[in-house]
Amino acid sequence: MRRYSAFAIAREAARYHSGWERAWASPEPKSEYDVIIVGAGGHGLATAYYLGKNFGITNVAIIEKGWLGGGNTGRNTTIIRSNYLQDPSAAIYEKARSLYETMSQDLNYNVMFSPRGVMMLAQTEHEIRGYQRTAHANALQGVATEFIGPEKVKELCPIIELKGPRYPVLGALWQPRGGTARHDAVAWGYARACSDMGMHIIQKCEVTGVHQDNGTVTGVETTKGRIGCKKLGMVVAGNASALAGMAGFRLPLESVALQALVSEPIKPCMDVVVMANTVHGYLSQSDKGEMVIGGGTDGFNNYTQRGSFHHIEETVRALVETFPMISRLKMLRQWGGIVDVTGDRSPIIGTTPLGNTFINCGWGTGGFKAIPGSGWAFAETIAKGTPGELAAPFGMDRFIEGRFIDESVAAGVAH
Amino acid sequence: MLILTCPNCGIAADETELSAGGEAHLTRFGAGSSDADFEGYLFMRKNTRGVHFERWRHSYGCGKWFHAARCTTTLEVFGTYPAQTTEPPAELIEKIKQKRPEFEGFSK
């Protein structure tokens, strides 16, 4: 792999950009690999990357039914934060956030991580108490957050309306090193690094069955034929239940549509990320100038990657209340992704009833921010055969034991 | 917008009038059941990609619960039926099979 650098740009500029190589190869599948990862989104590619980097396992295929990063990795609002209440969540999300800090250097690929700061508005007395509690918990967990008052909110984000018609802004939970990153670049950067280690990224190859022998996985059936493997990692987000069904087990998941939308590009007007959970709307401004808006989920099971219009209406109404200056912005694009939601709104990482088969799913509405941490923890789980410290609390067995990581109560909304 | 006909009051209700209630025809396990059965009842779901039987409540209408058969990959609604049953009516299963030959019928 030729490294990207200022010198490479100068070199290519001098020869009409004829020397850039493809970022990753697209080989035909081999008959067998040590590890197959199903799903070439951020989480799957990160898993493969850390399998190679941390454990030296490079005989790996990453199989994708669509195109690389075309699922939720390319459909989110790119927010990165780690201000969670529960210890296991704070640990894995903070691991992810800290890996984002150095990801561009690590991958030699500019993922445009921008630690511009994330604030979660407190708009009720209950939220003030909740976020103050989270700030104290974060202090103990080593996550840098603080609870700030309305004056500081206005100073950090001048376009905000503190005295909205329904809910005034009473304060906010502020994480100064949270922010955003270029979501596609995260997938592309990992893919390039994986391909460089000799891993095979196989796109447009749908898994149609899972082969097993005596309760242990032996390979997968795909639209490009049978591919054998010693270990299998399932990282397919919204389609996790369908893939698990092929392997013969059920998951505590429901798949629903989550929507987002962006406005026409405007001049820079806000340099932080704002989340308003009571009225339910997220807003940030992309480097292109678009206002990026995160909406809510539909209540019903859905695999169509499109959501209901009335949810957009609710979200936009909430944001116009909070940011009156956006009221005459035109919306450019709207899209949906299928997110897999667990009972406690926390992910599942761990072993499955099928031998040598591992699963990483249930990231629900908050997966993008977790990509590097999730890949790190899941690679360890696959390499060692049992979860390490980061992943251990997220095993599926927590549902039978009642040992929940209850972020649904902690966040009050999708997160 | 999703439109379901409420079998209780007969109104063709918009999605905004309704609340989704999740997978239908779950067998309820309570006190005295095994841990695995209780976990299955509370958390494990088919999460079907295709024909899905589910519960809905006509919350901004008559307020009553009912069932619907719907495709989760196309949002096509095959029909609705009353909540007072433990499995979908046979004629609805037949109707779905005619539209979807690959559909194998309802199973728990």
Side-chain angles (χ1 to χ4, degrees):
Chain A
M1 178 177 79
R2 301 183 80 149
R3 288 182 60 80
Y4 294 148
S5 66
F7 299 108
I9 293 172
R11 184 188 69 223
E12 294 305 325
R15 54 177 185 183
Y16 302 101
H17 294 281
S18 57
W20 296 116
E21 54 189 18
R22 282 184 178 274
W24 56 84
S26 295
E28 285 303 307
K30 293 194 292 186
S31 60
E32 185 166 338
Y33 294 89
D34 287 343
V35 178
I36 289 180
I37 305 287
V38 185
H43 289 259
L45 291 163
T47 303
Y49 175 72
Y50 293 113
L51 270 176
K53 189 183 176 195
N54 295 353
F55 299 97
I57 300 169
T58 55
N59 184 16
V60 175
I62 307 118
I63 299 179
E64 168 60 47
K65 76 169 176 177
W67 65 95
L68 192 149
N72 296 342
T73 303
R75 293 165 187 268
N76 56 78
T77 52
T78 77
I79 299 171
I80 295 163
R81 61 183 180 87
S82 58
N83 52 353
Y84 281 76
L85 177 65
Q86 313 292 352
D87 290 347
S89 318
I92 197 163
Y93 287 105
E94 177 59 15
K95 175 72 184 173
R97 199 205 57 77
S98 66
L99 287 168
Y100 268 118
E101 295 254 8
T102 53
M103 188 185 285
S104 294
Q105 292 77 10
D106 189 26
L107 298 178
N108 180 233
Y109 201 98
N110 187 3
V111 301
M112 296 163 72
F113 176 60
S114 161
R116 58 185 65 186
V118 173
M119 75 168 76
M120 298 170 79
L121 301 181
Q123 294 181 282
T124 62
E125 292 294 331
H126 173 83
E127 261 185 317
I128 293 178
R129 284 200 296 273
Y131 287 147
Q132 284 176 341
R133 182 184 174 203
T134 303
H136 291 311
N138 288 163
L140 294 172
Q141 291 151 348
V143 179
T145 63
E146 61 175 316
F147 188 82
I148 57 175
E151 306 77 27
K152 178 83 173 170
V153 170
K154 186 77 180 170
E155 186 191 318
L156 288 163
C157 184
I159 67 168
I160 208 164
E161 170 61 62
L162 292 179
K163 296 184 172 62
R166 288 191 297 166
Y167 295 99
V169 175
L170 303 171
L173 181 63
W174 170 240
Q175 183 171 24
R177 295 300 289 180
T180 61
R182 171 93 169 94
H183 51 359
D184 296 324
V186 172
W188 298 338
Y190 275 127
R192 177 167 168 264
C194 287
S195 187
D196 183 50
M197 286 190 277
M199 297 178 181
H200 284 183
I201 298 165
I202 303 161
Q203 301 181 70
K204 295 181 190 166
C205 178
E206 184 171 357
V207 170
T208 54
V210 176
H211 294 292
Q212 46 181 292
D213 183 32
N214 270 333
T216 301
V217 70
T218 57
V220 290
E221 195 63 40
T222 74
T223 47
K224 292 190 176 181
R226 182 182 173 142
I227 309 173
C229 66
K230 296 191 178 74
K231 289 181 177 179
L232 178 66
M234 301 177 168
V235 202
V236 295
N239 287 299
S241 295
L243 186 58
M246 293 174 201
F249 56 93
R250 273 190 199 182
L251 293 170
L253 289 178
E254 294 199 82
S255 296
V256 296
L258 176 67
Q259 297 179 83
L261 57 159
V262 295
S263 74
E264 58 191 329
I266 55 174
K267 287 187 177 179
C269 66
M270 75 185 282
D271 59 359
V272 294
V273 178
V274 176
M275 311 176 71
N277 289 338
T278 292
V279 292
H280 206 170
Y282 314 158
L283 192 71
S284 62
Q285 188 168 23
S286 75
D287 293 331
K288 286 184 285 184
E290 302 154 328
M291 303 309 286
V292 183
I293 296 171
T297 52
D298 291 330
F300 54 86
N301 295 37
N302 191 346
Y303 285 91
T304 64
Q305 293 189 319
R306 58 178 191 264
S308 302
F309 183 73
H310 66 95
H311 279 290
I312 298 179
E313 207 175 1
E314 277 165 25
T315 300
V316 170
R317 187 169 60 212
L319 289 173
V320 168
E321 232 175 85
T322 320
F323 306 94
M325 64 157 277
I326 70 165
S327 67
R328 287 199 277 175
L329 273 187
K330 294 180 184 73
M331 294 300 148
L332 274 194
R333 298 192 307 279
Q334 168 273 341
W335 63 91
I338 299 306
V339 299
D340 45 338
V341 180
T342 59
D344 60 0
R345 303 294 185 272
S346 288
I348 293 168
I349 307 174
T351 54
T352 70
L354 185 60
N356 286 345
T357 303
F358 306 89
I359 195 153
N360 182 355
C361 65
W363 290 94
T365 58
F368 175 73
K369 67 174 94 73
I371 284 173
S374 155
W376 185 284
F378 194 45
E380 185 180 10
T381 307
I382 293 176
K384 295 181 178 169
T386 53
E389 201 183 335
L390 271 182
F394 294 100
M396 230 192 306
D397 54 348
R398 73 177 187 269
F399 292 99
I400 201 162
E401 292 173 8
R403 181 179 45 77
F404 307 122
I405 304 166
D406 217 342
E407 294 295 346
S408 60
V409 172
V413 294
H415 62 91
Chain B
M1 183 172 282
L2 203 57
I3 297 172
L4 302 178
T5 303
C6 174
N8 300 303
C9 65
I11 284 175
D14 281 354
E15 191 184 327
T16 48
E17 254 179 81
L18 302 162
S19 307
E23 186 179 324
H25 310 304
L26 295 174
T27 303
R28 183 179 178 132
F29 290 93
S33 59
S34 73
D35 284 356
D37 283 343
F38 191 49
E39 181 205 26
Y41 162 61
L42 284 179
F43 297 109
M44 294 296 176
R45 295 293 177 263
K46 286 187 212 159
N47 198 15
T48 314
R49 196 166 64 180
V51 181
H52 191 242
F53 297 93
E54 56 197 14
R55 296 177 353 123
W56 287 83
R57 184 172 173 248
H58 193 186
S59 35
Y60 294 100
C62 67
K64 293 202 163 50
W65 286 93
F66 63 93
H67 286 144
R70 186 177 59 88
C71 177
T72 57
T73 56
T74 62
L75 303 189
E76 180 180 4
V77 177
F78 300 109
T80 56
Y81 52 99
Q84 291 73 21
T85 174
T86 54
E87 57 182 80
E91 61 271 21
L92 181 60
I93 298 285
E94 267 317 300
K95 186 179 160 191
I96 298 170
K97 279 183 175 169
Q98 278 168 14
K99 288 188 170 180
R100 303 285 164 95
E102 76 284 0
F103 174 60
E104 289 169 358
F106 172 77
S107 61
K108 285 274 179 180

